[in-house]
Amino acid sequence: MLSVKDAEAIILNLVQPLNEQRDTEIIDLWAASDRILATPVTSSLDFPHWDNSAMDGYAVRYEDVQHSSSAQPTILEVVEAIPAGYQPQSTIQPGQAARIFTGAVMPAGADTVIMQEKTHKEENRVLILDAPQPRQFVRHKAAFYQAGTQLLLPGIKLNAQNIAVLAAAQCPQLSVYRRPRVAIFSTGDELVTAEQPLQLGQIVDSNQYALATLVKNSGAEPLLLGIVKDDPVALQQVITYAIANADIVISSGGVSVGDYDYVDKILESLEAKIHIRAVAMKPGKPLTVANFPTHNSVLYFGLPGNPGSALVTFWRFVQPTIKKLSGLAEGGKLEFLRVRSHDELRSNGKFETYIWGCLHLIDGVYEFYQASGSHSSGNLINLAQTNALAVLPVGKVLISPGEEVLVLFF
Ligand SMILES: Nc1nc2c(c(=O)[nH]1)N[C@H]1C(S)=C(S)[C@@H](COP(=O)(O)OP(=O)(O)OC[C@H]3O[C@@H](n4cnc5c(N)ncnc54)[C@H](O)[C@@H]3O)O[C@H]1N2
Ligand code: MOO
Ligand SMILES: [Mg+2]
């Protein structure tokens, strides 16, 4: 059976990232949070835009004040006050200073700022009580960034820092990748919505709620196609619609070997190329991944129906796919943390085993706590309030308390 690593490589190889020419939209900077920048940004502004003061104090000529001390202060004439936001009016001559405030433009002639605490003011004169370093407390024009050079690279996620830089560079509108569209539906005659009364044998379609949330959290747009009966005609209709209207299609259920598990058969009837039918992992063994000759860039994930299996396969395979597809420069590689396990973790050693639980910060160090209760992939309940999956590779049957384990943090 295919290993998780090989399955991941096959899947990521099938992903065709959004196109930087076609798949973009212009948005307002106020709406940019978590979007992915599609084009490089340069600015015609230098940062700082002009030499300015880093302190409240006095702008002086270094050569005037270089030998100052509290015993022998230098006395300078204060010729003007320059608050932030105002243009200096004078050129500082030998023996002169300007009162200046943090962020205010340095006046011509001055090259150094003395902080207020090292001075003593007497009417229109100031006593400099300390010898400064040359050019101290001046933030020089273009010291942080030079106009015309690369400011931001495409493929970055727009967080608060990046958005602040774009605002400062006066980019009120910008080009970002469109959000990937992800169609989601659930299969099964036993499924009802959260509002419907339950008859014996029925179960709420919780997967669709979970998957919609995960899709949104991954920066994509869910297209919810509801519950589809275990009926080949209905399944064929919904899959045909989904592949024509989405970048990724996710179904849950119907991918095992039961008489009513139709997904693979319908995909074959639609001439899909099925790249993966099962993966050596637990939970999540019956996983189907396919694409279509007619809709070459659309990827189909038939996730197993058990709630634990659907979530684990999403985290392990679908989330990195969405990331890579969405234009993120860092692509889709998952990052695992190496942490200490608080609990004993067990596997049968035959499959790569994913155990859900919580990462807790203990004295500044993450530790993994296995969720209590059944780890059956049919048990949804103890997945609540978890934030991590511990991974036991094939062949590893036991992680003892205190031993290190690789963990996927979500
Ligand atoms: N003979 C075998 N039987 C099974 C095997 C196997 O290898 N041989 N694999 C088991 C494993 S492992 C899994 S995982 C499941 C996968 O089953 P399917 O993908 O075919 O899913 P269903 O049969 O439709 O449902 C399984 C289970 O999950 C519940 N379910 C389905 N959809 C939802 C949903 N949207 N929300 C909540 N719960 C859902 C469904 O009621 C079933 O209980 O196959 C095993 N069998
Ligand atoms: O592989 Mo299944 O996902 O263990 O229940
Ligand atoms: Mg089944």
Side-chain angles (χ1 to χ4, degrees):
M1 205 182 293
L2 197 64
S3 71
V4 172
K5 198 163 156 278
D6 290 347
E8 178 186 49
I10 290 171
I11 292 167
L12 291 182
N13 202 32
L14 290 170
V15 179
Q16 296 176 21
L18 294 179
N19 183 291
E20 68 251 25
Q21 260 87 50
R22 281 197 315 275
D23 296 318
T24 57
E25 54 191 351
I26 303 291
I27 58 157
D28 200 276
L29 190 56
W30 287 112
S33 103
D34 291 338
R35 300 302 300 268
I36 297 161
L37 189 65
T39 51
V41 176
T42 56
S43 175
S44 56
L45 296 168
D46 287 321
F47 286 84
H49 312 321
W50 9 260
D51 290 359
N52 69 96
S53 174
M55 291 288 171
D56 301 315
Y58 293 86
V60 300
R61 299 160 62 94
Y62 174 72
E63 57 183 42
D64 282 356
V65 298
Q66 57 186 310
H67 303 302
S68 312
S69 67
S70 52
Q72 285 192 305
T74 307
I75 301 173
L76 301 173
E77 178 199 0
V78 180
V79 293
E80 74 165 304
I82 314 167
Y86 292 86
Q87 294 190 18
Q89 301 300 314
S90 40
T91 296
I92 304 303
Q93 307 293 339
Q96 294 184 338
R99 180 82 170 109
I100 199 163
F101 299 92
T102 306
V105 179
M106 285 291 285
D111 57 11
T112 298
V113 170
I114 311 293
M115 65 195 292
Q116 196 168 309
E117 292 87 333
K118 308 283 185 191
T119 65
H120 180 72
K121 179 91 197 293
E122 280 181 357
E123 292 170 354
N124 66 338
R125 297 185 317 162
V126 63
L127 279 62
I128 308 299
L129 306 174
D130 203 21
Q133 297 295 316
R135 294 152 69 90
Q136 77 174 16
F137 301 135
V138 179
R139 302 188 290 209
H140 289 101
K141 177 177 159 76
F144 305 157
Y145 169 79
Q146 271 188 321
T149 58
Q150 182 101 261
L151 183 62
L152 292 177
L153 289 167
I156 59 167
K157 196 183 231 193
L158 295 174
N159 58 16
Q161 308 88 292
N162 297 331
I163 289 173
V165 168
L166 288 164
Q170 299 198 298
C171 301
Q173 301 218 303
L174 60 155
S175 170
V176 296
Y177 286 105
R178 67 173 175 81
R179 292 183 199 278
R181 265 185 304 275
V182 180
I184 306 170
F185 63 94
S186 300
T187 71
D189 286 359
E190 76 278 29
L191 301 178
V192 297
T193 67
E195 303 87 40
Q196 287 172 297
L198 280 175
Q199 309 294 332
L200 178 66
Q202 293 183 327
I203 180 173
V204 171
D205 166 24
S206 56
N207 286 352
Q208 192 151 190
Y209 289 88
L211 294 169
T213 306
L214 290 170
V215 163
K216 271 191 232 152
N217 291 349
S218 308
E221 202 177 280
L223 172 62
L224 300 179
L225 300 181
I227 297 168
V228 182
K229 295 274 183 205
D230 291 319
D231 165 47
V233 176
L235 270 170
Q236 179 157 350
Q237 273 174 3
V238 73
I239 294 177
T240 304
Y241 178 83
I243 61 177
N245 289 283
D247 302 295
I248 295 175
V249 181
I250 307 175
S251 62
S252 70
V255 291
S256 183
V257 294
D259 290 351
Y260 308 102
D261 292 336
Y262 290 120
V263 169
D264 285 19
K265 292 182 199 85
I266 302 301
L267 289 173
E268 279 159 359
S269 77
L270 291 169
E271 292 177 341
K273 180 159 172 37
I274 301 187
H275 298 268
I276 296 174
R277 290 174 192 270
V279 181
M281 68 189 288
K282 194 175 161 20
K285 175 172 54 100
L287 170 73
T288 294
V289 180
N291 65 0
F292 304 85
T294 46
H295 295 79
N296 188 251
S297 61
V298 180
L299 256 188
Y300 188 100
F301 286 92
L303 306 185
N306 279 315
S309 319
L311 288 182
V312 168
T313 47
F314 183 97
W315 282 313
R316 188 63 188 81
F317 299 118
V318 186
Q319 192 151 283
T321 298
I322 295 176
K323 264 193 163 182
K324 180 167 180 192
L325 175 76
S326 64
L328 265 181
E330 72 209 40
K333 263 263 168 264
L334 279 180
E335 274 160 14
F336 292 87
L337 301 178
R338 187 180 294 282
V339 303
R340 217 170 35 214
S341 181
H342 176 269
D343 300 316
E344 179 177 291
L345 308 176
R346 286 193 173 273
S347 152
N348 66 12
K350 291 188 203 134
F351 298 114
E352 187 164 305
T353 300
Y354 289 74
I355 295 171
W356 47 91
C358 252
L359 276 184
H360 288 300
L361 260 183
I362 311 288
D363 294 333
V365 177
Y366 277 120
E367 232 176 273
F368 179 80
Y369 287 67
Q370 175 175 225
S372 62
S374 166
H375 280 255
S376 154
S377 60
N379 180 19
L380 174 64
I381 300 305
N382 72 342
L383 268 157
Q385 297 186 59
T386 59
N387 65 5
L389 287 173
V391 189
L392 275 68
V394 174
K396 183 86 180 163
V397 294
L398 171 71
I399 299 266
S400 304
E403 200 179 328
E404 282 194 335
V405 65
L406 285 182
V407 161
L408 201 55
F409 196 12
F410 46 82

